[in-house]
Amino acid sequence: MTKSPIAARLAELREQLPAGVQLVAVSKFQPIEAIRQAYAAGQRLFAESRAQELAEKHAALPKDIQWHFIGTMQTNKVKVYAPFVSMIQSVGSEKSLQVIQKEALKNGRTIDVLLEVHIAAERSKSGFFPAEAEEYIASGRWRELPNVRVRGLMGMATFTDDTMQVSREFSALRALFERLKSSHPDFDTLSMGMTDDWPAAVAARSTMVRIGSFIFGDRS
Ligand SMILES: *Cc1c(COP(=O)(O)O)cnc(C)c1O
């Protein structure tokens, strides 16, 4: 049997990613059939960026898939995926953490999260500023949320051809992660790297890459 293009791209990525770097297949805007092909090729970790789409795909697909949410968080939509989501990577405020706590408790679950940190030069990208994330972690207030488990940080580099700038941004996030990890050794996840910049992210010791268009092709 010849491999589907999706299976072939997943195999190519797995070959190139160092051991210990988790591959999140970003399936936003992709049809169920494309996700099934990735699943058939052994992929179990997927990410979506819209609440409703995530809920629909979760309902339609095998239940051993782990779903991450990576989109802009709307606090009134958390309840849509709180019953099943395995990680929310795009947590950009303390208010969002409080909402996740409430919804996780309602569902009798603990939800893993990453704090999204704003490292790019663009204004549009959301998240904590690095100093805010550091202050928030130092405050210990996140420990008062028993149903939320902070696992680490997520970031997106500037969309630019300037590879030096992208590398600098990833290195800055890695350095922040190291500082936080020195007082919180249970932080184990640094999510950075997408289709166009994952080699630079991995060079800066990302532990998780989020790759969509390379695996699935352009989003319709
Ligand atoms: C869409 C998206 C990705 C994947 O982007 P590709 O360039 O298609 O690999 C990764 N992370 C986030 C937060 C995204 O929104």
Side-chain angles (χ1 to χ4, degrees):
M1 213 177 84
T2 52
K3 277 185 187 166
S4 74
I6 288 173
R9 296 209 191 92
L10 280 168
E12 195 181 325
L13 277 172
R14 289 192 191 114
E15 209 165 277
Q16 295 179 59
L17 287 170
V21 176
Q22 281 187 286
L23 172 59
V24 182
V26 177
S27 52
K28 61 185 184 194
F29 307 115
Q30 300 293 345
I32 297 281
E33 181 46 35
I35 303 175
R36 284 197 199 282
Q37 284 180 29
Y39 183 88
Q43 183 68 25
R44 293 291 180 273
L45 182 50
F46 294 87
E48 288 285 331
S49 62
R50 295 191 304 189
Q52 202 54 44
E53 187 176 347
L54 172 53
E56 284 162 15
K57 287 175 172 173
H58 168 259
L61 285 156
K63 293 300 169 278
D64 62 339
I65 290 181
Q66 289 180 47
W67 291 103
H68 287 193
F69 185 78
I70 58 170
T72 307
M73 271 192 68
Q74 291 174 277
T75 49
N76 61 336
K77 298 278 178 66
V78 176
K79 58 176 178 296
V80 172
Y81 48 78
F84 64 85
V85 74
S86 82
M87 180 182 272
I88 304 174
Q89 297 202 14
S90 42
V91 180
S93 71
E94 195 170 350
K95 167 89 192 306
S96 297
L97 283 155
Q98 288 160 355
V99 173
I100 296 166
Q101 165 57 33
K102 197 177 92 195
E103 296 298 332
L105 178 64
K106 266 195 217 161
N107 285 281
R109 312 182 60 215
T110 298
I111 296 180
D112 285 352
V113 304
L114 302 179
L115 303 187
E116 181 177 352
V117 179
H118 180 107
I119 51 172
E122 292 132 0
R123 301 193 54 169
S124 61
K125 298 206 168 136
S126 45
F128 288 88
F129 284 100
E132 279 174 348
E134 202 154 13
E135 186 278 328
Y136 178 63
I137 294 300
S139 78
R141 290 196 296 278
W142 52 287
R143 293 194 184 283
E144 294 157 18
L145 309 171
N147 298 70
V148 176
R149 186 158 65 130
V150 180
R151 296 277 302 269
L153 306 177
M154 185 271 260
M156 271 184 281
T158 305
F159 183 69
T160 172
D161 290 336
D162 183 347
T163 53
M164 295 288 284
Q165 179 177 356
V166 169
S167 293
R168 265 197 315 274
E169 290 170 357
F170 285 145
S171 298
L173 190 59
R174 177 74 207 187
L176 174 60
F177 180 69
E178 293 291 339
R179 282 202 300 283
L180 299 180
K181 198 172 161 55
S182 65
S183 36
H184 307 290
D186 46 328
F187 285 9
D188 61 3
T189 307
L190 177 59
S191 171
M192 52 185 199
M194 316 184 1
T195 291
D196 288 335
D197 60 15
W198 71 261
V202 165
R205 289 185 301 132
S206 165
T207 73
M208 180 180 275
V209 293
R210 310 175 309 272
I211 299 184
S213 32
F214 179 78
I215 298 169
F216 295 108
D218 287 341
R219 289 179 278 271
S220 37

